[in-house]
């Protein structure tokens, strides 16, 4: 048979009996296991099956192997039949690879995730390079699904059930060395050795890896019923089945079918995955993934040059952490504060962050070298962007900008981190008001994925685009918002926190209020959140935002601030704190009460989200949902507050139809 003409793959042979199949999806930055790629690998397999080479190596011509399924295609699936057909086709492809007569080797560099790792698991051997950019994992649970191309069955057979379940339930990824220690790959080598390592493995064919010892025993018929309840308890402490069914489905699959022959396990995997795809969580989490992609794409589309040098003014809670994050992500940063001890404290915090994230001392040193203490503020003159994070005081900020404009370059952008001051008032004294934008980071900077890019009335498109490009370059999600009190995120959070404060003032237990919010799926209760932000900060923000609205701030809130009970930082707030942790009292509450109170708490947030959409604070409703999920942690399984509101009203409408037709 002659070699097929392929667009997304190529086949090379060197005369030693090995066929090298190279994946390289045309016109894409990364390979994804789309139906187009599946179709071409099928054609390549027709050729390989007819030629019967001594061995096959599958690699990628791109920096990554396969980054997973094509999530856009998953989002476009119209029917369950289509989903079932796609899963069946993927399983058949992996079965064909596994059934090839000669040895097969996956040659892995870069991302090898989801369907990509399932393809590698269908090969007899796997070789990865040991660069930090190489990541292996099955993160499907993050999309509300689980592996469907044989991964849930093959992974436990190769590395044993406990590590396999841990990888699939957490969705975490491993580098080459960690994958080697776990037995997931046969060798982890330097990038320059990877071709030779793959070639040798293919020719020597020493026999595939299989789980042995306790790892094999843990999957046996007597061990599964013992291990399952233990793992289920751990799972229940993290997520609820009705909100996140995928990890529970994975556990069920293994407990019921872990001992079955492979074809039966594959059928069970397929059926279980189809049930998940039918449910709301999967489509909502796929929506969240696509929203995240949209924010990144919009920043990339701006095509503004990324900033080389950023000057940060103010090394307090926010400015210090912003400077450290910028340096961690490759920017050269100069940092000034009127207090030298604030700069010193930032350098200490930055080193801890770099050591945690970068591990290798040479990289930590390089990042520290990028973060330059600049007590005289000389860096401002050379900066592409100046980020201002000084105290929240209009006159102090305006005075600073007047001085700044005398020294910064004509093209330099000034970005303020203000939470509540109107950009129009801040810009009014500037000679070039168009250069002022907002870059509103959230606290804690290292953990929060979103940054609001605030466009004031006079901000130029160029300044906004440069702000967005900086946000994208430091691995955060930029959300363009219109300048208005509270922007988007604080504005929708405020009525939610005030509702909680009102319930508390009416005598409801604070523990029950916070528990109800978490029961709904929020990452933290509103009272704990207010305490950690600082009650004085919350009150000031609430007062600014409620000026134009008829929202009442409970007297109890004012009283707490008057008494100096400012939250975690003062050791008292809604809670009492011991060593930074709130002292909670146990309360027992039934599910129905928690559900009712959870709804009551998020209702004002949802209504405010609708107003933000109607007032055009962001471009459309999807972006309101994106801001709520990535900025407030709003229960991701719902797909965002507006999407949640819409699906609940259509649910109610169909219940109504059922009642009237019944
Ligand atoms: P902070 O009080 O911790 O830090 C402010 C720093 O600015 C201090 O170290 C102070 O010495 C320094 N500073 C004051 N005037 C200065 C000047 N003229 N030149 C140089 N340094 C000066 O305040 P924080 O919390 O970091 O807030 C900074 C800005 O970020 C404010 O606009 C605030 O609204 C905003 N923000 C705060 C958040 C938070 O959670 N704390 C969240 C998002 C925004």
């Amino acid at each position: 048979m002659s070699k097929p003409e392929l667009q997304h793959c190529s086949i090379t042979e060197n005369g030693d009996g090995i066929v090298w199949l190279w994946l390289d999806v045309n016109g894409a930055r990364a390979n994804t296991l789309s139906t187009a790629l599946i179709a071409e690998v099928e054609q390549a397999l027709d050729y390989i099956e007819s030629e019967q080479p001594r061995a096959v190596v599958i690699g990628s011509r791109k920096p990554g192997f396969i980054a997973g399924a094509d999530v856009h295609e998953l989002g476009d699936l119209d029917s369950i039949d289509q989903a079932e057909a796609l899963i069946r086709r993927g399983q058949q492809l992996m079965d064909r690879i596994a059934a090839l007569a000669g040895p097969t080797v996956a040659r892995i560099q870069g991302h090898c995730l989801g369907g990509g790792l399932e393809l590698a698991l269908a090969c007899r051997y796997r070789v990865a390079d040991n660069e930090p950019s190489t990541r292996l994992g099955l993160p499907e649970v993050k999309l509300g699904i689980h592996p469907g191309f044989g991964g849930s069955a093959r992974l436990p057979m190769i590395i044993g059930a406990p590590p396999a379940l841990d990888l699939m339930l957490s969705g975490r990824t491993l580098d080459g060395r960690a994958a080697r220690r776990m037995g997931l790959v046969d060798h982890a080598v330097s990038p320059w050795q990877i071709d030779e390592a793959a070639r040798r493995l293919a020719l020597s064919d020493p026999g595939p890896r299989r789980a042995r010892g306790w790892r094999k025993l843990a999957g046996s018929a007597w061990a599964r019923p013992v291990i399952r309840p233990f793992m289920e308890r751990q799972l229940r402490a993290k997520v609820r089945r009705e909100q996140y069914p995928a990890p529970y489905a994975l556990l069920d699959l293994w407990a019921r079918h872990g001992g079955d022959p492979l074809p039966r396990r594959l059928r069970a995997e397929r059926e279980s995955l189809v049930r998940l795809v039918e449910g709301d969580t999967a489509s909502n989490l796929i929506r969240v993934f696509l929203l995240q992609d949209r924010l990144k794409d919009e920043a990339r589309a701006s095509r503004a040059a990324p900033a080389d040098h950023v000057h940060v003014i103010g090394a307090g809670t926010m400015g210090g952490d912003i400077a450290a994050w910028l340096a961690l992500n490759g920017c050269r940063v100069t940092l000034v504060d009127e207090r030298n001890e604030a700069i010193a404290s930032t350098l200490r915090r930055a080193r801890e962050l770099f050591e945690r994230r970068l591990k290798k001392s040479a990289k930590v040193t390089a990042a520290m070298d990028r973060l330059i203490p600049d007590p005289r503020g000389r860096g401002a003159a050379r900066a592409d962007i100046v980020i201002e994070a000084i105290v929240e005081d209009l006159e102090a900020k305006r005075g600073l900008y007047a001085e700044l404009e005398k020294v910064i370059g004509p093209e330099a952008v000034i970005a303020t981190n203000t939470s509540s001051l109107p950009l129009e008032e801040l810009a009014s004294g500037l000679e070039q008001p168009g250069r002022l934008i907002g870059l509103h980071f959230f606290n804690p900077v290292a953990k929060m994925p979103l940054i609001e890019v605030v466009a004031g009335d006079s901000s130029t498109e160029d300044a906004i685009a440069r702000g967005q490009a900086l946000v994208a370059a430091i691995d955060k999600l930029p959300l363009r918002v219109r300048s208005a009190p509270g922007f988007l995120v604080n504005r929708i959070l405020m009525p939610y926190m005030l509702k909680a404060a009102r319930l508390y003032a009416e005598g409801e237990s604070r523990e029950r209020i916070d528990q109800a919010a978490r029961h709904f799926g929020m990452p933290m209760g509103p009272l704990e959140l207010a305490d950690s932000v600082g009650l004085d900060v919350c009150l000031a923000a609430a007062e600014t935002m409620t000026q134009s609205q008829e929202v009442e701030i409970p007297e109890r809130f004012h009283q707490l601030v008057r008494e100096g009970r400012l939250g975690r930082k003062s050791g008292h707030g809604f809670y009492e704190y011991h060593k930074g942790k709130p002292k909670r009292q146990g309360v027992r509450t039934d599910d129905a009460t928690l559900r009712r109170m959870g709804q009551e708490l998020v209702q004002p947030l949802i209504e405010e989200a609708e107003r933000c959409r109607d007032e055009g604070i962001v471009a459309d409703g999807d972006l309101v949902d994106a801001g709520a999920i990535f900025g407030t942690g709003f229960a991701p399984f719902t797909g965002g507050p507006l999407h949640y509101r819409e699906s609940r009203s259509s649910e109610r409408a169909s219940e109504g139809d059922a009642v009237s037709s019944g």
Side-chain angles (χ1 to χ4, degrees):
M1 180 178 174
S2 58
K3 264 191 216 167
E5 293 276 321
L6 301 171
Q7 282 185 39
H8 305 302
C9 309
S10 58
I11 293 172
T12 57
E13 288 160 274
N14 301 336
D16 53 4
I18 303 178
V19 164
W20 296 73
L21 171 61
W22 298 101
L23 312 173
D24 189 3
V25 175
N26 204 353
R29 269 180 297 124
N31 292 327
T32 51
L33 201 53
S34 59
T35 42
L37 183 59
I38 291 178
E40 294 216 341
V41 177
E42 285 167 348
Q43 286 186 53
L45 287 175
D46 292 341
Y47 171 75
I48 291 167
E49 283 162 354
S50 78
E51 295 300 300
Q52 300 209 344
R54 183 167 167 192
V56 177
V57 178
I58 305 179
S60 163
R61 289 275 190 224
K62 293 199 195 295
F65 185 70
I66 298 177
D70 181 334
V71 183
H72 290 269
E73 273 188 13
L74 294 184
D76 288 345
L77 288 173
D78 283 336
S79 67
I80 288 306
D81 289 346
Q82 263 186 12
E84 221 249 332
L86 175 65
I87 300 164
R88 198 181 281 275
R89 188 172 175 189
Q91 288 191 340
Q92 281 164 353
L93 181 80
M94 304 311 165
D95 280 350
R96 280 178 75 185
I97 293 172
L100 287 173
T104 42
V105 183
R107 173 199 175 282
I108 300 163
Q109 291 190 290
H111 283 178
C112 175
L113 303 174
L117 182 56
E118 294 185 281
L119 188 148
L121 291 169
C123 293
R124 198 177 296 174
Y125 306 107
R126 286 154 295 282
V127 184
D129 78 14
N130 50 23
E131 289 292 295
S133 53
T134 290
R135 307 298 311 174
L136 296 95
L138 292 173
E140 286 86 346
V141 282
K142 295 187 175 165
L143 293 177
I145 53 178
H146 61 55
F149 293 174
S152 75
R154 290 196 174 94
L155 187 63
M157 280 157 51
I158 295 171
I159 65 170
L165 284 170
D166 169 50
L167 265 189
M168 292 189 286
L169 293 175
S170 66
R172 72 193 174 95
T173 61
L174 305 172
D175 63 16
R177 282 206 184 91
R180 166 75 191 82
R181 282 196 297 277
M182 202 180 260
L184 180 55
V185 301
D186 297 85
H187 297 298
V189 298
S190 306
W192 55 272
Q193 292 173 313
I194 193 164
D195 285 340
E196 184 52 22
R199 199 181 73 83
R200 281 211 199 146
L201 204 48
L203 295 179
S204 63
D205 192 14
R209 277 177 178 274
R210 284 286 171 262
R212 276 187 298 217
W214 69 271
R215 289 183 169 193
K216 185 172 180 195
L217 279 180
S220 62
W222 61 265
R224 276 181 279 128
V226 180
I227 295 175
R228 181 215 171 116
F230 168 73
M231 298 200 77
E232 192 162 332
R233 247 198 321 277
Q234 283 189 331
L235 206 52
R236 266 206 307 271
K238 291 190 189 132
V239 288
R240 303 226 318 274
R241 190 189 270 266
E242 62 274 30
Q243 295 178 341
Y244 295 97
Y248 290 91
L250 258 175
L251 207 52
D252 291 346
L253 202 53
W254 171 72
R256 288 205 195 120
H257 301 281
D260 290 355
L262 188 62
R264 242 194 271 161
R265 289 179 78 167
L266 292 178
R267 195 178 66 207
E269 179 188 74
R270 198 166 61 234
E271 289 168 358
S272 165
L273 182 53
V274 166
R275 279 194 296 278
L276 289 175
V277 172
E278 265 180 310
D280 288 339
T281 298
S283 68
N284 288 344
L285 290 180
I286 288 171
R287 168 183 162 76
V288 173
F289 181 93
L290 296 175
L291 287 174
Q292 179 175 335
D293 242 25
R294 176 173 167 199
L295 295 184
K296 286 187 196 158
D297 280 350
E298 284 180 7
R300 278 191 215 110
S302 75
R303 291 186 191 282
D308 267 344
H309 177 177
V310 182
H311 183 67
V312 178
I313 308 181
T317 311
M318 293 305 289
D321 286 0
I322 292 169
W325 186 261
L326 290 163
L328 176 73
N329 285 280
C331 292
R332 197 150 55 86
V333 186
T334 40
L335 175 65
V336 59
D337 194 291
E338 54 187 18
R339 294 179 306 122
N340 281 347
E341 64 272 23
I343 302 184
S345 148
T346 294
L347 294 181
R348 278 194 298 277
R349 282 187 343 249
R351 179 174 287 282
E352 283 168 19
L353 173 74
F354 300 161
E355 283 172 353
R356 251 192 342 267
R357 296 287 178 122
L358 300 171
K359 306 221 162 60
K360 291 188 183 159
S361 68
K363 290 191 174 168
V364 173
T365 309
M368 287 304 291
D369 287 349
R370 288 193 292 271
L371 178 54
I372 305 158
D374 181 19
R376 298 192 179 179
R378 296 224 169 100
R382 297 189 305 274
D384 304 299
I385 298 189
V386 178
I387 297 180
E388 170 275 302
I390 69 165
V391 282
E392 189 74 335
D393 179 305
L394 183 68
E395 286 319 314
K397 288 188 197 269
R398 276 166 45 152
L400 175 71
Y401 300 165
E403 292 304 309
L404 254 185
E405 257 199 330
K406 293 181 193 154
V407 294
I408 58 177
E411 304 286 315
V413 170
I414 303 177
T416 173
N417 189 45
T418 182
S419 313
S420 58
L421 300 173
L423 255 70
E424 294 64 36
E425 288 181 31
L426 286 170
S428 62
L430 281 170
E431 273 176 32
Q432 290 184 44
R435 63 168 30 159
L436 183 76
I437 59 166
L439 284 183
H440 186 224
F441 289 75
F442 295 93
N443 190 8
V445 174
K447 285 210 178 127
M448 298 299 288
L450 192 82
I451 296 174
E452 288 175 316
V453 180
V454 189
D457 285 351
S458 50
S459 312
T460 63
E461 281 305 313
D462 176 60
I464 296 163
R466 286 167 60 199
Q468 286 175 316
L470 176 68
V471 174
I474 58 171
D475 201 24
K476 297 278 184 196
L477 300 171
L479 176 67
R480 181 177 174 153
V481 297
R482 202 157 61 71
S483 169
F487 311 129
L488 175 75
V489 172
N490 286 348
R491 180 163 160 190
I492 60 175
L493 268 179
M494 197 48 67
Y496 161 69
M497 291 208 253
L498 288 177
K499 175 77 194 177
R502 269 198 301 279
L503 285 178
Y504 178 64
E506 286 161 14
E508 187 49 88
S509 120
R510 59 192 176 193
E511 284 84 2
R512 188 172 292 128
I513 295 171
D514 282 342
Q515 199 187 349
R518 288 196 302 271
H519 188 270
F520 178 83
M522 303 300 272
M524 198 189 236
L527 299 179
E528 309 168 271
L529 180 63
D531 267 359
S532 61
V533 171
L535 298 191
D536 50 340
V537 177
C538 287
L539 185 61
E543 280 171 342
T544 321
M545 275 179 250
T546 48
Q547 270 165 12
S548 54
Q549 295 161 25
E550 305 264 309
V551 183
E552 173 216 344
I553 303 173
E555 172 49 29
R556 182 87 183 96
F557 212 137
H558 291 281
Q559 190 193 346
L560 285 170
V561 174
R562 274 200 305 273
E563 289 168 0
R565 297 169 65 98
L566 306 182
R568 180 177 293 153
K569 60 186 172 190
S570 67
H572 322 263
F574 287 110
Y575 291 90
E576 303 295 317
Y577 287 82
H578 180 66
K579 293 189 180 163
K581 295 244 175 331
K583 286 194 247 168
R584 291 181 219 272
Q585 275 151 20
V587 281
R588 284 194 163 273
T589 316
D590 59 281
D591 258 22
T593 308
L594 289 177
R595 201 170 307 126
R596 182 189 45 72
M597 197 185 288
Q599 292 290 343
E600 207 180 320
L601 283 165
V602 295
Q603 188 59 25
L605 185 158
I606 295 173
E607 285 165 10
E608 198 63 39
E610 288 183 318
R611 279 191 281 276
C612 287
R613 179 199 51 206
D614 298 345
E615 290 171 25
I617 299 297
V618 289
D620 55 47
D622 280 348
L623 291 181
V624 173
D625 279 348
I629 293 166
F630 303 121
T632 75
F634 190 90
F637 77 93
T638 61
L642 297 183
H643 187 75
Y644 174 71
R645 165 80 150 226
E646 226 167 81
S647 29
R648 276 182 50 99
S649 11
S650 45
E651 252 170 49
R652 277 200 216 105
S654 53
E655 276 165 21
D657 286 350
V659 170
S660 55
S661 63

